[in-house]
C-alpha cells in the first residue's frame, strides 16, 4: 500500500502568506488552485487511488472533490 499526502490547492489566503486555522472560515481555492487540481491528473498517479481522506477545512474538501471528480473523467 502506498500513501500520498497532498496539500490543498492555492487559496487567496496562501498567496498573501496568511494562515487560517479555523475550519468554519469559508476559505476556498483560488482560480489557480482549481486549475492546478485539474492539472494534477496528468502528473500524479491519481488513477490508482481508492480512498481519499481530507480535513474539515473547505479548501481541503474542495481539493479532494476536484481530484476525485478529475479521476472519474
Amino acid at each position: 500500500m502506498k500513501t500520498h499526502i497532498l496539500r490543498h490547492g492555492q487559496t487567496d489566503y496562501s498567496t498573501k502568506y496568511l494562515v487560517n486555522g479555523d475550519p468554519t472560515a469559508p476559505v476556498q481555492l483560488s482560480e489557480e488552485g482549481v486549475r492546478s487540481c485539474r492539472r494534477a491528473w496528468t502528473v500524479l498517479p491519481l488513477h490508482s487511488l481508492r480512498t481519499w481522506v481530507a480535513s474539515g477545512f473547505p479548501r481541503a474538501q474542495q481539493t479532494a472533490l476536484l481530484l476525485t471528480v478529475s479521476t472519474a473523467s
Side-chain angles (χ1 to χ4, degrees), residues 35-56:
R35 280 193 298 272
S36 66
C37 286
R38 292 189 175 136
R39 285 191 308 265
W41 175 251
T42 62
V43 295
L44 298 172
L46 300 175
H47 62 279
S48 64
L49 300 181
R50 294 188 176 154
T51 304
W52 293 83
V53 178
S55 73

Side-chain angles (χ1 to χ4, degrees), residues 4-73:
H4 299 275
I5 300 174
L6 304 172
R7 185 177 187 271
H8 61 79
Q10 182 188 78
T11 67
D12 289 333
Y13 266 52
S14 61
T15 61
K16 297 174 185 171
Y17 302 101
L18 298 174
V19 176
N20 169 47
D22 180 3
T24 64
V27 178
Q28 298 287 322
L29 299 182
S30 64
E31 289 182 26
E32 176 54 34
V34 171
R35 280 193 298 272
S36 66
C37 286
R38 292 189 175 136
R39 285 191 308 265
W41 175 251
T42 62
V43 295
L44 298 172
L46 300 175
H47 62 279
S48 64
L49 300 181
R50 294 188 176 154
T51 304
W52 293 83
V53 178
S55 73
F57 285 87
R59 61 187 180 258
Q61 296 286 321
Q62 188 180 12
T63 298
L65 179 64
L66 286 167
L67 293 176
T68 303
V69 170
S70 294
T71 62
S73 303

